[in-house]
Amino acid sequence: MLSQAYPPIQTVQTQSKVQHGSDVSLRCDVPLLSKSSTLHWEKDGEQTPNTTLMYNNSAYILLHTVDERSEGEYYCRLMKDGRVQTVSIHTLNVTSHSHGNRKSQIIYRQSSSNSDVSLICKSTKRYQNWKWTWESSSNSQTDLIAVENGGEVQIKGPIKPGRGSSTTYNSQAFIFHISPVNFNYSGTYRCITETTIYTTTILRTIRVSVEPPDGVSRSHSVVLTCEVSEVTDSVTLVWLRMEGNRGVLVKQQIMTKKINMLRLKVNLSSYETDWQCAVFTENTLRALAPITINLTSSNTNAPTESSAVTNQVINKQANTTLSCVLTLFTGILLGALLYYCYRKRMSVHSDPQESEPVYINISQMRDDRVERSSTPENREKSPEIYRNIRRNRYGKGNMNKRDETPVTSDSVTYATIYFNKSRFQT
């Protein structure tokens, strides 16, 4: 059985020597990159943690502030159908010092809260004095930090040194660290000794933004803006829609003349969330500035299965809560009504005005009855009653023992009679 023949692996080798503290961009090209193919960078057989990008059948890698740890072999591998098709090997050598007064270097940094830049002076010679200066596009040269033999670093401003900056004197190294990088920090930075300008670094800053900034929905328009602080050579500004680490070109702008600020805007017709603004100079990737679009909850056209289940649970809980509230409210009303009826009933029975004592002189009433009966007219009308009264009064006849007491002005008998006024009210 014949084994399947595979084409030989194509290998390309290059090497370069770069200055300590500079930025390095490596590029690997293939004729055609299909969707089933992968193209990636490795360092010494391991995946690199640095920024990578796949764009236009090319794989890019950015190395910021290289030092001795950055040295080694970088492999660009094209994988297709599980086999290696192409290998590009780039050997990187880094100088032990950063002597660059003969030529200035340009670096790019995104203006963001997590970006930083380290400006390094590292020499094989010893110097008594070091200082870093900054010259912006609109101002004259300003001292930032300085140190003299045997002393501590003096902070002069206006850019405050970061945690990676030098704090004491070192005759062979002086570092100025900036963190975070603001957009207005662009300009020319110089490391100066007592005799010469040791290094010159030109910093260009990049800023990306989205409008509206607090989240958008699919029914609203979105505008992405990418800005470069200054352009002095040929620069290409590109907006890429990211699909993993693969960039899809959406819009680009090429500037070949000097300009204070380069700006590129794009109105989105699709609402993918991951975007990057890329800066190229002569087909070399110089910077990547990512941005993420935050979509609000009203973006989805139809609820997903999980969101539908969640909504059902929320609605069920809301109905249960409403039933409990209505039941509690009804119980409170019923209790209040019963309490009102109870108080009303008690007020009727316990009102002191409903039953007041009435004191009557029983003896006086009896005498009045006798006197009225003793008139001649009453005698004629009721002779029998008159005789009974006289007989009872003078002890002739049966008499209740309670009435045996002779009636005088000092012997008065009182009785208390209670009656309900409500029965007599109309």
Side-chain angles (χ1 to χ4, degrees):
M1 182 177 180
L2 297 176
S3 61
Q4 185 177 358
Y6 291 98
I9 300 174
Q10 301 180 13
T11 304
V12 178
Q13 293 188 355
T14 58
Q15 65 177 356
S16 62
K17 188 173 184 178
V18 297
Q19 179 179 307
H20 186 282
S22 63
D23 288 357
V24 176
S25 177
L26 302 179
R27 173 182 173 183
C28 174
D29 300 324
V30 294
L32 180 64
L33 186 62
S34 62
K35 292 184 177 181
S36 60
S37 303
T38 59
L39 187 64
H40 60 274
W41 280 96
E42 298 177 358
K43 180 180 182 295
D44 298 331
E46 297 180 357
Q47 291 284 340
T48 61
N50 298 278
T51 303
T52 56
L53 172 68
M54 293 174 56
Y55 172 61
N56 280 349
N57 297 330
S58 300
Y60 298 88
I61 182 173
L62 277 174
L63 307 175
H64 289 160
T65 317
V66 295
D67 54 18
E68 292 81 0
R69 295 171 297 180
S70 304
E71 288 187 330
E73 292 184 339
Y74 292 81
Y75 295 83
C76 177
R77 301 184 186 276
L78 173 63
M79 303 292 295
K80 186 176 181 180
D81 298 329
R83 288 184 57 85
V84 177
Q85 298 290 319
T86 303
V87 175
S88 176
I89 304 175
H90 187 93
T91 304
L92 183 65
N93 297 314
V94 181
T95 62
S96 60
H97 59 282
S98 55
H99 187 66
N101 59 335
R102 297 171 187 161
K103 183 180 179 181
S104 60
Q105 60 170 337
I106 301 177
I107 61 175
Y108 291 81
R109 288 294 185 276
Q110 181 182 1
S111 172
S112 66
S113 59
N114 57 357
S115 64
D116 68 333
V117 59
S118 292
L119 305 175
I120 301 174
C121 280
K122 189 173 182 181
S123 173
T124 57
K125 294 176 58 177
R126 296 180 181 273
Y127 291 95
Q128 299 298 317
N129 300 320
W130 295 96
K131 71 175 181 179
W132 274 101
T133 65
W134 172 51
E135 181 181 349
S136 65
S137 58
S138 58
N139 298 325
S140 59
Q141 183 171 289
T142 303
D143 291 347
L144 297 176
I145 58 175
V147 66
E148 295 182 359
N149 184 11
E152 294 184 354
V153 173
Q154 302 296 317
I155 301 174
K156 300 177 178 294
I159 302 175
K160 303 302 180 183
R163 62 185 181 277
S165 300
S166 298
T167 57
T168 58
Y169 171 75
N170 186 328
S171 61
Q172 292 181 287
F174 195 42
I175 302 174
F176 181 56
H177 178 240
I178 303 174
S179 178
V181 178
N182 294 336
F183 187 72
N184 58 356
Y185 286 176
S186 65
T188 302
Y189 293 80
R190 296 182 177 92
C191 178
I192 302 175
T193 69
E194 66 266 19
T195 59
T196 184
I197 298 176
Y198 193 79
T199 62
T200 300
T201 302
I202 300 174
L203 175 63
R204 300 282 181 252
T205 53
I206 309 167
R207 179 169 58 192
V208 291
S209 60
V210 58
E211 297 179 5
D214 297 329
V216 296
S217 63
R218 296 186 183 275
S219 60
H220 294 84
S221 60
V222 178
V223 178
L224 297 179
T225 303
C226 181
E227 299 171 293
V228 177
S229 58
E230 187 177 356
V231 173
T232 56
D233 50 4
S234 178
V235 172
T236 301
L237 204 58
V238 179
W239 266 116
L240 300 173
R241 186 181 72 250
M242 299 305 298
E243 299 176 355
N245 67 338
R246 189 190 299 261
V248 178
L249 175 64
V250 176
K251 190 176 182 180
Q252 71 177 7
Q253 183 176 353
I254 301 175
M255 183 60 61
T256 57
K257 62 181 181 179
K258 183 177 180 179
I259 187 174
N260 289 333
M261 182 182 295
L262 177 61
R263 180 182 293 113
L264 179 62
K265 291 188 175 184
V266 58
N267 295 311
L268 300 186
S269 57
S270 59
Y271 290 87
E272 287 77 6
T273 57
D274 295 329
W275 296 79
Q276 292 201 46
C277 177
V279 180
F280 293 90
T281 59
E282 298 178 356
N283 295 326
T284 300
L285 179 65
R286 304 305 304 272
L288 282 175
I291 190 171
T292 301
I293 300 176
N294 296 319
L295 299 178
T296 60
S297 59
S298 60
N299 296 332
T300 54
N301 295 327
T304 60
E305 182 178 354
S306 60
S307 63
V309 172
T310 303
N311 291 335
Q312 292 178 1
V313 173
I314 293 174
N315 293 334
K316 185 176 180 180
Q317 292 177 349
N319 292 335
T320 304
T321 303
L322 182 59
S323 300
C324 294
V325 170
L326 291 177
T327 303
L328 179 61
F329 184 74
T330 304
I332 292 174
L333 289 180
L334 182 59
L337 181 60
L338 292 175
Y339 180 76
Y340 174 80
C341 295
Y342 172 78
R343 290 293 303 271
K344 186 70 174 176
R345 182 178 180 184
M346 292 298 296
S347 64
V348 170
H349 290 282
S350 62
D351 191 355
Q353 296 181 357
E354 294 298 323
S355 56
E356 297 179 353
V358 179
Y359 299 96
I360 302 176
N361 192 331
I362 302 298
S363 301
Q364 185 66 34
M365 289 178 62
R366 185 175 58 187
D367 293 343
D368 292 342
R369 290 178 59 187
V370 171
E371 290 177 0
R372 287 197 300 268
S373 302
S374 62
T375 60
E377 184 180 356
N378 290 334
R379 291 176 184 176
E380 295 177 358
K381 292 181 179 181
S382 53
E384 185 63 26
I385 295 175
Y386 176 73
R387 288 193 296 271
N388 290 335
I389 290 174
R390 286 183 58 85
R391 188 180 296 114
N392 292 335
R393 184 173 186 180
Y394 295 101
K396 297 179 181 182
N398 295 328
M399 194 67 181
N400 191 293
K401 293 182 179 181
R402 187 177 60 182
D403 295 332
E404 291 178 356
T405 306
V407 179
T408 63
S409 60
D410 296 330
S411 60
V412 179
T413 303
Y414 292 92
T416 304
I417 301 175
Y418 292 90
F419 65 95
N420 196 334
K421 285 184 179 181
S422 61
R423 297 181 179 179
F424 297 93
Q425 294 177 351
T426 58

